[in-house]
């Protein structure tokens, strides 16, 4: 639907969404995945140090290794699709379409607000979790703003979900995911996010600041997206 709207309603190329294929695609995706590993590892370490997290063991201590491998590969595949789809919609079509009619600031703010509201129907969602996902939308937008392409944001999104849910064992936006680490989180929900996961806790804010710093470091010297988001500008970038 996004491709059809871009091509036949906007009359612009698919690449103009930030899907230019060049030598940086793979590196941007892998960098995004690596950055979110650092974020989730920092959250895990902080909650452990505070005494708000109990580690119970690894998945292979409870399930046959075939089950562990099958579920891990399945969840990785699902999160690749989720990262692609949600970034194409939120940082791609929503952000850029709003920005083309207003400016880049409002494109980022309003698309992040919609991103938060799209998770309102998740199990255990509250206004706190919706606010947290709004900030996550701002964080994910950093990848696009720093590169003018979606690949870094896609990598950030894939890595965020995979490391949060599968590797470190947290709920992912209220959803229970097959975890490699079996943990119990029992600290104050205001900080930990409780059953919704770290997105609904204050712990995610300093972690995202760390991630934003890593994005800046990785993208130093790159051409960033500009406030000139009109059709001609975006088309030329594509």
């Amino acid at each position: 639907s996004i491709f059809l709207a871009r091509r036949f309603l906007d009359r612009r190329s698919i690449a103009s969404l930030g899907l230019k294929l060049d030598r940086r695609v793979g590196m941007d995706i892998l960098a995004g995945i690596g950055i979110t590993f650092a974020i989730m590892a920092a959250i895990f370490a902080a909650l452990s140090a505070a005494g708000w997290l109990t580690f119970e063991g690894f998945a292979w201590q409870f399930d046959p290794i075939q089950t562990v491998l099958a579920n891990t590969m399945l969840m990785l595949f699902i999160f690749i699709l989720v990262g692609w789809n949600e970034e194409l919609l939120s940082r791609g079509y929503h952000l850029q379409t709003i920005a083309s009619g207003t400016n880049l600031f409002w494109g980022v703010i309003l698309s992040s607000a919609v991103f938060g509201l799209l998770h309102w129907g998740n199990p255990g969602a509250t206004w706190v979790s919706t606010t947290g996902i709004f900030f996550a939308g701002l964080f994910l937008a950093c990848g696009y703003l720093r590169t003018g392409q979606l690949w870094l944001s896609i990598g950030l999104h894939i890595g965020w979900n995979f490391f949060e849910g599968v590797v470190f064992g947290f709920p992912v936006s209220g959803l229970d995911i097959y975890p490699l680490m079996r943990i119990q989180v029992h600290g104050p929900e205001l900080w930990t996010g409780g059953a919704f996961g770290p997105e609904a806790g204050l712990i995610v804010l300093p972690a995202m600041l760390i991630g934003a710093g890593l994005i800046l470091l990785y993208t130093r010297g790159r051409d960033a997206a500009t406030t000139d988001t009109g059709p001609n500008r975006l088309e030329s970038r594509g």
Side-chain angles (χ1 to χ4, degrees), residues 6 8 40 44 60 83 94 102 104 119 126 138 152 163 171 184 191 194 198 211 213 215 235:
R6 192 65 161 188
F8 298 106
M40 291 304 157
F44 186 92
W60 50 85
H94 285 170
T102 56
L104 194 56
H119 292 77
T126 65
L138 298 181
L152 180 55
F163 291 121
Q184 290 293 330
W191 280 95
I215 291 172
E235 194 66 38

Side-chain angles (χ1 to χ4, degrees), residues 72 75-76 79 157-168:
T72 300
M75 295 313 305
L76 176 60
F79 285 140
H157 205 135
I158 293 170
W160 182 291
N161 288 339
F162 184 75
F163 291 121
E164 180 180 45
V166 178
V167 174
F168 290 106

Side-chain angles (χ1 to χ4, degrees), residues 85-136:
N85 183 65
E86 293 193 1
E87 290 311 300
L88 191 63
L89 177 65
S90 295
R91 262 55 65 184
Y93 203 79
H94 285 170
L95 188 159
Q96 296 173 43
T97 302
I98 294 169
S100 69
T102 56
N103 54 52
L104 194 56
F105 172 82
W106 285 113
V108 171
I109 295 297
L110 293 178
S111 65
S112 298
V114 172
F115 182 64
L117 290 173
L118 287 175
H119 292 77
W120 180 257
N122 285 36
T126 65
W127 69 269
V128 176
S129 68
T130 301
T131 302
I133 295 205
F134 164 77
F135 283 109

Side-chain angles (χ1 to χ4, degrees), residues 6 24 26 38 48 61 67 71 80 93 99-100 125 139 145-146 149 156 160 163 177 183 210 215 226-227:
R6 192 65 161 188
R24 285 174 164 167
S48 296
Q61 296 174 287
T67 301
N71 280 286
I80 289 172
Y93 203 79
S100 69
F139 168 73
L145 296 176
R146 292 293 299 171
Q149 301 295 315
L156 291 167
W160 182 291
F163 291 121
I177 306 300
I183 64 172
I210 293 172
I215 291 172
T226 72
T227 54

Side-chain angles (χ1 to χ4, degrees), residues 44 53-63 166-169 179-184:
F44 186 92
L53 182 152
T54 301
F55 174 70
E56 298 179 336
F58 294 103
W60 50 85
Q61 296 174 287
F62 301 91
D63 297 328
V166 178
V167 174
F168 290 106
L180 291 177
M181 289 187 183
R182 304 296 167 87
I183 64 172
Q184 290 293 330

Side-chain angles (χ1 to χ4, degrees), residues 47-48 50-54 184-195:
L47 294 182
S48 296
W52 297 339
L53 182 152
T54 301
Q184 290 293 330
V185 177
H186 41 75
E189 191 169 319
L190 177 65
W191 280 95
T192 67

